Amino acid sequence: LPSDEKEKGSFSAFFMRGADESGFTKRPLMRRTLILAMLPLGLAPIVLLRDTGPLPGDKLKTTPWRNGRRMYVEGTHRAIRAEDFENDPNGMISALPAIDDDHYPHGISLNDQAKSVILLIKVPEEDWQERMTEEVEGADGQTRLNWTHNGIVAYSKICTHVGCPAALYERTTHRILCPCHQSTFDASNAAEVVFGPAHRPLPQLPIGVDDEGYLIATGDFVAPPGPTFWD
């Protein structure tokens, strides 16, 4: 709480009296010595930051998703078909990309998994919000609804706050929840932030189906997945 003017004046007088009694303001040599002694403290963070390694550059802006790459249920060898959602019209599946277009990613690294893991969610047609029909900058004139298939939408599972898995889904409200700091995203409205400390939506992945009816990506994320501070 702020102090009143009397307390502020009292502290100011006390501080100046102490400075005068110490001689700090009257002895240039002491003042310069203290300032020079404090300069190395400003260099310490630079040395520590250099020890963290090179900057990531553009590595965090691309993922293993490519046009035509199939989706597999995370932790299994089962490719996902669109009809897998027919018996669960409000379902949610966590998925990873195939590493060579049509085979389960046995050798996918943990870093690639962290960047590419997605949530596949089925949203009824009547529940889509207005933003899902807006054009998206940099998407060649497509709309976000053009990135879905029969109401199935794909979002990055990595929270844009500090990178925790946003793995909880509330079916009746279509809200995606990150359990770490309660950031909440609206799956029916372009994964916009509706609560919590996250500052940007979960990036959406454009999807479709191949000739055999398996869900595939039709490209990579148009925005980098994961925490904003990575950039």
Side-chain angles (χ1 to χ4, degrees), residues 7-62:
E7 289 178 338
K8 291 180 181 178
S10 174
F11 175 79
S12 177
F14 171 79
F15 180 83
M16 294 307 300
R17 184 170 66 253
D20 290 338
E21 291 175 355
S22 69
F24 182 79
T25 57
K26 299 178 181 179
R27 293 181 171 84
L29 179 61
M30 183 195 312
R31 184 168 63 251
R32 292 169 187 166
T33 302
L34 288 174
I35 292 174
L36 288 173
M38 294 173 63
L39 287 179
L41 296 177
L43 298 176
I46 298 177
V47 176
L48 293 174
L49 288 173
R50 284 176 57 88
D51 287 343
T52 62
L55 294 173
D58 292 335
K59 293 180 180 179
L60 299 171
K61 296 184 178 180
T62 59

Side-chain angles (χ1 to χ4, degrees), residues 135-159:
E135 291 189 356
V136 180
E137 183 179 356
D140 298 328
Q142 296 186 72
T143 62
R144 290 185 185 268
L145 281 177
N146 287 344
W147 299 352
T148 67
H149 176 77
N150 288 344
I152 303 171
V153 64
Y155 294 116
S156 170
K157 187 178 178 180
I158 307 304
C159 182

Side-chain angles (χ1 to χ4, degrees), residues 18-164:
D20 290 338
E21 291 175 355
S22 69
F24 182 79
T25 57
K26 299 178 181 179
R27 293 181 171 84
L29 179 61
M30 183 195 312
R31 184 168 63 251
R32 292 169 187 166
T33 302
L34 288 174
I35 292 174
L36 288 173
M38 294 173 63
L39 287 179
L41 296 177
L43 298 176
I46 298 177
V47 176
L48 293 174
L49 288 173
R50 284 176 57 88
D51 287 343
T52 62
L55 294 173
D58 292 335
K59 293 180 180 179
L60 299 171
K61 296 184 178 180
T62 59
T63 74
W65 289 111
R66 300 290 185 273
N67 184 25
R69 190 153 286 184
R70 288 182 178 177
M71 305 173 178
Y72 281 74
V73 178
E74 185 179 11
T76 76
H77 292 70
R78 181 168 66 88
I80 304 171
R81 293 178 178 271
E83 55 262 31
D84 291 342
F85 289 87
E86 291 181 359
N87 295 328
D88 191 3
N90 291 296
M92 183 269 285
I93 297 176
S94 181
L96 287 170
I99 201 168
D100 57 358
D101 295 334
D102 61 354
H103 294 96
Y104 180 76
H106 295 281
I108 190 171
S109 69
L110 290 177
N111 283 338
D112 282 340
Q113 290 184 43
K115 291 192 296 182
S116 58
V117 63
I118 60 171
L119 294 174
L120 290 166
I121 297 172
K122 176 83 170 183
V123 179
E125 182 178 355
E126 63 273 12
D127 290 346
W128 290 116
Q129 302 297 314
E130 182 178 355
R131 178 167 170 75
M132 295 300 292
T133 63
E134 294 179 3
E135 291 189 356
V136 180
E137 183 179 356
D140 298 328
Q142 296 186 72
T143 62
R144 290 185 185 268
L145 281 177
N146 287 344
W147 299 352
T148 67
H149 176 77
N150 288 344
I152 303 171
V153 64
Y155 294 116
S156 170
K157 187 178 178 180
I158 307 304
C159 182
T160 54
H161 178 219
V162 292
C164 295

Side-chain angles (χ1 to χ4, degrees), residues 198-222:
H199 289 288
R200 65 186 181 96
L202 299 173
Q204 184 179 351
L205 184 75
I207 65 172
V209 292
D210 61 15
D211 295 338
E212 299 180 46
Y214 289 100
L215 286 174
I216 59 170
T218 59
D220 200 355
F221 295 108
V222 294

